[in-house]
Amino acid sequence: MSDITLWQILLANLAIFAGAFLQGLAGYGIGTLSAPLLFLISPLFLPGPLILNAVLLTLLILWRSRAALSFRQVRFAIGGDIVGTILAVGTLAVLTTRGFDLAFGTLILLAVILSVVGLRPRLSARNSVVAGAASGYMGTITAVGGPPIALIYQNENGPLVRANLSAFFLFASSASAVALFFSGFIGTRELQLFAAMLPGMLVGFYASGHLVNRVPFDALRPVILGIAAVAGITAIVKGLLP
């Protein structure tokens, strides 16, 4: 990891702490908040190292909120996620470094738009499949798969949201990690970066357990979306520069 400094690792732990804390509160957020910050620190933290941390985080959150899980609603989204993940791996296989920057920035801004346009689709089988596919595609490329699937759960109660989203993200993150591994996008360096960020993720999860019913997620949304928008624009500008 000679191309990553200790200072960058410390910043990465702060970024993933914030995302893990948010996800522990709201059911999603490690991608929406941490991925843009990690991109600004170093694109090497994406997507593999962050996705590996997301697998472990969603497993921990699912175990904590397992009593509220309703798997019948989640299975349709999982089916869509498989399709989206396959398409994403095909996209990554043909992207150059500049192409990745442009794709990352575009998908991040799309995630921000989806979060602010006020769409309120109901929780149904068809919408779950579509949201699952979009989440799988975006999550595999950028590690930000939360907004599409969160849209269909925005009218549900907190415990159900955390449990069902954690079940979906556990499958989605695991599928993305497996696909990235067999496609050559997760190797020794990505595993080392995953381990380097692990302390920040674990502390964020632990801290969220003490405030899970006390911190209003809506109050945090403008800050999260603002950070994501800045990172998305930065990535697009970087991809367009010679």
Side-chain angles (χ1 to χ4, degrees):
M1 293 195 301
S2 59
D3 41 3
I4 294 291
T5 67
L6 178 60
W7 178 242
Q8 287 175 307
I9 290 176
L10 291 174
L11 289 176
N13 271 275
L14 289 175
I16 202 168
F17 163 82
F21 179 75
L22 178 63
Q23 184 139 335
L25 295 178
Y28 79 102
I30 191 171
T32 309
L33 179 58
S34 296
L37 292 173
L38 290 172
F39 180 85
L40 296 175
I41 297 168
S42 172
L44 294 178
F45 289 109
L46 300 165
L50 179 55
I51 287 176
L52 291 173
N53 271 283
V55 171
L56 181 55
L57 175 64
T58 51
L59 179 61
L60 293 171
I61 296 174
L62 178 59
W63 177 256
R64 188 169 67 188
S65 55
R66 62 191 181 279
L69 177 65
S70 177
F71 184 75
R72 184 180 63 84
Q73 297 173 330
V74 179
R75 59 183 178 177
F76 297 107
I78 288 176
D81 175 77
I82 295 173
V83 177
T85 300
I86 294 172
L87 292 174
V89 170
T91 301
L92 283 172
V94 300
L95 285 179
T96 62
T97 301
R98 177 176 292 186
F100 175 79
D101 291 341
L102 291 172
F104 180 91
T106 302
L107 291 175
I108 287 289
L109 291 180
L110 177 60
V112 171
I113 292 170
L114 287 176
S115 299
V116 301
V117 293
L119 294 175
R120 305 186 75 85
R122 67 185 184 88
L123 182 58
S124 66
R126 183 190 63 184
N127 289 340
S128 293
V129 171
V130 174
S135 184
Y137 184 82
M138 295 172 64
T140 302
I141 294 177
T142 68
V144 184
I149 196 71
L151 280 176
I152 64 173
Y153 277 95
Q154 60 187 308
N155 298 318
E156 307 300 319
N157 66 74
L160 175 67
V161 171
R162 284 189 291 271
N164 277 22
L165 289 187
S166 295
F168 170 77
F169 286 132
L170 176 59
F171 177 87
S173 299
S174 299
S176 296
V178 170
L180 290 172
F181 175 79
F182 284 106
S183 301
F185 294 101
I186 291 181
T188 302
R189 182 179 64 185
E190 286 72 25
L191 291 173
Q192 290 174 336
L193 292 175
F194 154 65
M197 293 192 294
L198 191 58
M201 185 277 289
L202 292 175
V203 174
F205 166 75
Y206 178 78
S208 72
H210 295 279
L211 297 172
V212 67
N213 295 315
R214 301 179 187 178
V215 178
F217 176 64
D218 286 344
L220 303 174
R221 288 181 78 248
V223 177
I224 297 166
L225 296 178
I227 292 172
V230 169
I233 293 171
T234 301
I236 291 175
V237 170
K238 182 183 175 185
L240 292 175
L241 290 176

